[in-house]
Amino acid sequence: MKFSDQFEQRFAEMLTHYPTKRSVLVPTLLFVQDEVGYLSDEVIEEIAQRLDLTELEVRNVISYYSMLTTRPRGKYNVQVCTNIACLLRGGEELLEHCETKLGIGHKGTTADGLFSLEEVECIGACSWAPAAQVNYDFHENLTVHKMDKVLDEYKKRATQ
Amino acid sequence: MTDLVSHPDEVRVVSKRFGKGATNIDRYLELDGYKAVQKALGMQPDVIVNEVKNSGLRGRGGAGFNTGMKWSFVPKQSAKPKYVLCNGDESEPGTCKDRLIFEHDPHAVIEGVMIAGFAVGSTTGYIYIRGEYRYLLEIMQKAIGDAYARGFLGKNIFGSGRNFDIYWHGGAGAYEVGEESALMESLEGKRGIPRIRPPFPAVVGLWGGPTVINNAETLASVPHIILGGADWFANLGPPKNGGTRLFCLSGHVERPGVYELPMGYNLKKMIYEVGGGIPNGHKLKAVVPGGSSCPLLTADEVDVSMDFDSMMKAGSMLGSGGVVICDDTTCMVKFALRIMKFYRHESCGWCIPCREGTDWLEKTLTRFHSGGGLKKDIDNIQYLSENMLGRTFCPLGDAAAMPTISIVKKFRKEFEDHLQGRPCPFEKEGKIEQLPVMAV
Ligand SMILES: Cc1cc2nc3c(=O)[nH]c(=O)nc-3n(C[C@H](O)[C@H](O)[C@H](O)COP(=O)(O)O)c2cc1C
Ligand code: SF4
Ligand code: FES
C-alpha cells in the first residue's frame, strides 16, 4: 500500500524512538487513518506486516481505542461532548440539534458522506463548554446557533 | 486557541508564560527558559530529589503523591535503561489544564522531563499526549525539534558532555490509558490494560526498565522549583501541599476558566469570587471538586481549603483540579447517570467488578431516571458501588463508585422524588426505559 511521503517520513522517524517496533503502533494507526479515512483490511495487513505483528494483534489494539475505526466515516466527523461540564451547559441539546440537522444518530454518516456524528466523552474543553470537535478542530462555548454556523462552514468548505 | 482568564488572587507559576508566545524558543529563552535545566545539570541527583521532595510538590494527575518521594524509589543501579514518562492523556471529565500547558508552555514540560531524568539517572523521556489533542502534539513536536536544533536535547547538551533524548507519543482515545500502568502498555503498542503492582513502575516500567511517570502539570512545576527554591514553592501552600494548582472551573458558574491559585485556596471563595458565583440568580447545589472521580460536595460543604489533606478530611479528594459546579436546576440522578455512563464506556473490561458493576449501574440509573425506578434500586445502587470499592484491578472501579456513593448518600431525597411513577421531576417529559432489575 502506498501512503504519503509525510507519513513515511514520520513513520521512519518514529521507529527510531523506541527499543521495540511495536511501540509505534497506536500513533501510527491514527496517522494512517487520517490519510485513508479508516483502517481498512488492506491497511491493517500492511501495518501488521511492517511491525511484525499478526493482523489479529493489530485488530485487538484497534478495537480498544475510541478514535480508531475500521469503517469509513464522513469527511467531517462531528464529535459532541455530553460529559458533565458540557451536560450542565447544554451539551445534550447540542447533540440533539446535530442529530436533527444532519438526520443521523450516534456514529451515523450522512448519505452524501460529508458528515458523521458521534457523542463523545470529555475532550478537555470543560471550562469552555459546551464543546465539540470536528475532526481535530475544537469548537467551544457553543450554542445551537453557533453550531449551525460551524456545520454550514464545513459544508461550504467541502463544496469549494 | 483557548480563552485565557485572570483574577487578582491568582499566583502565576506554571501559567506565568501563558499568552506570552513562549512556544517560540527564543521567546521562551527571554522568559528564563532553559535556565532551570542548566542549573540542574550542576546539581547532584540526590540534591535535585531532595529539593523537589522538600518543595512539597504533589502529583497533579490526581493521587497527590509527593513527587520527590516518587523519584527516590527509582533504583540507582539498573541493568535496563531508565525512563521518564510525561502523562498528557488528560481525560478526567472536568479537567482541561494540561491542554493549556502544552499550548502555551511546551518547553516547560521538556525541562521538567529532563530534570526528572537527571534526578533519577535516566537519559530518555517520552511525552504522551492524548489523540484528540492533535494540535498540541504538533506544538510539542516542534518544541522538541527546536530544542534539539539548539543542542538543548541530544548529545552533549549545553556542552555538558551528557546526553538526553525526548520523544513525543500520541494516543488514540482512551481514558483508562491515563492510568500509569495502562499508559505504559499503550506506549508499548498494546491495549491499555493495567499491570499488576507491585512491581511499581519506578522499579519495573517501560520495557522492563525503571520508569518515573508524572503528570504534565507536575513536571511543568519542577523547573520553577529548581530556580525559585524548595522553600519558596513550599510556602505558596499549606504544609505538605506546596505550590499552586491550575483549577478548571466549569459548569454553572459565571466566569468559567482555568485559574492558577495557591494550594489551599478556599473552595467557596473560588466559586463565588474567582468564578463570579452562580449565574441567573440560581443557587449552588453541588460541586465536583477535582474531576469526575471525586465524591461530590454539597452547597453546605464548600467552605473548605483546596489542598490534598483538607479535601481528604472533608471526605472527598483534590483530584485533578477539575471543579464542576452544579446549580439547583441540576438533576443529581441524571448527573450520577452521566458519570456512570462515562465509566461504563471507559472500563477496559479486564476485571469483573468494574466491567459488570459499571454496566449494571448505568442500566439501573437509566431506568431509574426515566421513571421506571423501584424503591430497592436506591439501596442497590449504593450497595453495588460500595462493593466495587477497593475490589477492582485498577482505581477506575473506585473512580466510578466514589461519586455515585456520595450522590446517593447526599441527595437521596432526589432519588425518592423520582419514584412517583413519573419521569425525572426536573424534566417535563420522557419515556420510561424498560431495563432489567438486578437481583441482589
Ligand atoms: C483511570 C485513571 C485515569 C487517569 N488518568 C490520568 C490522566 O489523564 N493524566 C494524569 O496525569 N494522570 C492520570 N491518572 C493518574 C496516573 O495513574 C498517575 O498517578 C499519574 O500520572 C502520576 O503522576 P503525578 O504523580 O504527577 O500525578 C489516572 C489514573 C486512573 C486510575
Ligand atoms: S477497574 Fe475497570 S478499568 Fe481498571 S482493570 Fe478493572 S475493568 Fe479495567
Ligand atoms: S466535559 Fe465536555 S469537554 Fe470536558
Side-chain angles (χ1 to χ4, degrees):
Chain A
M1 253 196 113
K2 197 140 169 51
F3 303 123
S4 72
D5 293 346
Q6 194 207 357
F7 170 83
E8 293 299 351
Q9 224 174 351
R10 189 138 61 170
F11 180 73
E13 190 207 320
M14 276 171 56
L15 285 174
T16 68
H17 292 177
Y18 312 90
T20 64
K21 262 193 192 176
R22 181 178 184 145
S23 298
V24 307
L25 184 58
V26 175
T28 296
L29 287 169
L30 196 53
F31 289 138
V32 181
Q33 179 174 295
D34 290 342
E35 285 201 18
V36 183
Y38 70 107
L39 299 167
S40 61
D41 293 349
E42 231 187 331
V43 167
I44 294 170
E45 197 185 322
E46 172 78 22
I47 298 296
Q49 208 167 35
R50 287 191 188 199
L51 300 179
D52 301 331
L53 297 169
T54 64
E55 286 174 42
L56 185 63
E57 283 171 312
V58 175
R59 285 182 192 281
N60 217 341
V61 167
I62 293 172
S63 66
Y64 180 87
Y65 294 90
S66 65
M67 294 174 75
L68 302 178
T69 176
T70 53
R71 269 178 294 173
R73 282 200 286 235
K75 186 174 164 77
Y76 300 114
N77 188 30
V78 182
Q79 304 145 78
V80 183
C81 173
T82 59
N83 211 311
I84 50 175
C86 292
L87 175 78
L88 297 175
R89 295 181 83 98
E92 287 198 334
E93 291 74 15
L94 208 59
L95 177 68
E96 266 171 42
H97 179 73
C98 292
E99 286 173 347
T100 316
K101 186 170 165 105
L102 299 173
I104 48 177
H106 175 58
K107 297 212 169 171
T109 302
T110 53
D112 60 5
L114 213 50
F115 290 104
S116 45
L117 184 64
E118 244 182 276
E119 176 180 13
V120 293
E121 300 300 345
C122 179
I123 51 176
C126 323
S127 289
W128 312 283
Q133 267 188 302
V134 180
N135 297 347
Y136 290 109
D137 293 337
F138 279 90
H139 298 279
E140 296 164 337
N141 297 310
L142 285 167
T143 58
V144 164
H145 180 66
K146 264 172 134 178
M147 193 76 215
D148 275 340
K149 287 217 290 212
V150 167
L151 295 179
D152 291 345
E153 201 53 49
Y154 282 101
K155 197 160 189 167
K156 221 191 294 166
R157 205 188 284 183
T159 50
Q160 264 165 9
Chain B
M1 277 289 189
T2 41
D3 303 327
L4 294 175
V5 286
S6 66
H7 187 271
D9 283 3
E10 279 190 287
V11 175
R12 293 194 172 248
V13 178
V14 173
S15 67
K16 85 173 195 197
R17 300 189 192 93
F18 287 10
K20 298 206 168 143
T23 48
N24 177 298
I25 196 163
D26 289 313
R27 184 78 187 115
Y28 184 70
L29 288 167
E30 281 166 24
L31 299 166
D32 296 333
Y34 288 101
K35 282 194 184 149
V37 156
Q38 292 182 68
K39 182 173 176 189
L41 273 170
M43 292 164 76
Q44 287 300 319
D46 285 349
V47 176
I48 301 177
V49 170
N50 279 328
E51 191 75 356
V52 174
K53 214 188 263 179
N54 295 334
S55 77
L57 173 65
R58 291 166 69 168
R60 305 305 195 224
F65 197 82
N66 180 292
T67 304
M69 189 81 86
K70 189 189 264 187
W71 295 359
S72 73
F73 297 151
V74 175
K76 290 225 160 43
Q77 301 300 327
S78 167
K80 292 195 171 160
K82 304 180 205 177
Y83 299 99
V84 178
L85 173 51
C86 168
N87 190 343
D89 191 55
E90 182 159 82
S91 313
E92 171 92 359
T95 318
C96 48
K97 62 183 179 69
D98 297 339
R99 187 175 156 197
L100 289 183
I101 298 173
F102 290 124
E103 183 174 316
H104 293 275
D105 207 6
H107 289 284
V109 180
I110 295 179
E111 281 201 76
V113 170
M114 293 173 81
I115 296 165
F118 303 161
V120 302
S122 154
T123 58
T124 312
Y126 291 94
I127 299 177
Y128 188 115
I129 299 181
R130 70 179 291 190
E132 290 86 347
Y133 287 175
R134 172 58 62 82
Y135 78 109
L136 299 177
L137 190 69
E138 282 162 9
I139 290 175
M140 206 66 226
Q141 277 174 16
K142 175 157 191 319
I144 293 173
D146 290 347
Y148 270 102
R150 300 291 170 106
F152 301 168
L153 283 171
K155 301 244 177 313
N156 188 23
I157 51 171
F158 298 96
S160 64
R162 289 159 67 177
N163 306 334
F164 204 93
D165 287 303
I166 293 186
Y167 306 111
W168 50 267
H169 192 94
Y175 166 69
E176 169 62 0
V177 153
E179 193 279 333
E180 56 180 18
S181 65
L183 186 72
M184 296 191 291
E185 289 288 302
S186 179
L187 196 118
E188 291 181 10
K190 301 174 213 157
R191 292 168 72 92
I193 308 284
R195 298 178 181 173
I196 195 151
R197 277 149 291 177
F200 289 95
V203 182
V204 182
L206 280 172
W207 305 288
T211 304
V212 161
I213 302 168
N214 278 124
N215 171 258
E217 185 186 351
T218 312
L219 290 165
S221 305
V222 168
H224 300 290
I225 295 169
I226 297 299
L227 289 181
D231 289 345
W232 159 76
F233 193 83
N235 287 328
L236 293 173
K240 297 199 179 116
N241 288 269
T244 56
R245 270 212 91 157
L246 295 174
F247 289 104
C248 322
L249 265 58
S250 72
H252 296 141
V253 61
E254 199 63 60
R255 289 192 296 273
V258 179
Y259 299 89
E260 182 166 16
L261 296 162
M263 195 68 102
Y265 197 84
N266 183 279
L267 177 58
K268 195 170 179 181
K269 243 178 119 182
M270 196 184 297
I271 297 168
Y272 290 98
E273 290 179 29
V274 179
I278 317 297
N280 307 323
H282 287 296
K283 285 203 178 67
L284 177 67
K285 184 188 270 186
V287 183
V288 176
S292 63
S293 306
C294 304
L296 275 72
L297 298 175
T298 65
D300 299 335
E301 295 170 323
V302 295
D303 195 1
V304 54
S305 161
M306 289 287 267
D307 61 72
F308 288 104
D309 302 318
S310 307
M311 289 306 286
M312 194 74 96
K313 230 180 272 161
S316 187
M317 290 172 349
L318 189 61
S320 64
V323 182
V324 189
I325 296 153
C326 306
D327 74 11
D328 53 5
T329 64
T330 314
C331 169
M332 296 315 290
V333 178
K334 174 78 175 263
F335 201 75
L337 164 59
R338 188 61 188 86
I339 291 178
M340 194 49 68
K341 184 177 169 186
F342 168 72
Y343 288 107
R344 193 267 306 147
H345 183 258
E346 301 300 330
S347 167
C348 81
W350 183 252
C351 67
I352 295 164
C354 169
R355 184 181 67 218
E356 293 295 311
T358 54
D359 190 55
W360 270 109
L361 284 164
E362 188 199 3
K363 282 197 180 106
T364 308
L365 283 161
T366 302
R367 177 170 49 73
F368 197 94
H369 177 256
S370 75
L374 306 170
K375 193 153 193 309
K376 69 172 184 182
D377 286 329
I378 309 177
D379 289 331
N380 278 357
I381 292 166
Q382 189 169 341
Y383 174 83
L384 201 58
S385 307
E386 278 169 357
N387 278 284
M388 278 164 69
L389 263 189
R391 291 189 174 87
T392 55
F393 193 73
C394 89
L396 188 140
D398 300 329
M402 285 184 296
T404 312
I405 295 169
S406 76
I407 295 174
V408 177
K409 276 197 181 147
K410 295 179 182 181
F411 299 96
R412 197 178 172 97
K413 175 146 192 325
E414 279 195 31
F415 281 81
E416 286 163 0
D417 288 347
H418 277 72
L419 278 176
Q420 312 305 321
R422 58 179 157 82
C424 171
F426 290 87
E427 290 173 11
K428 283 155 245 98
E429 52 197 70
K431 95 174 195 306
I432 295 181
E433 302 283 349
Q434 304 295 336
L435 286 163
V437 178
M438 188 181 48
V440 205

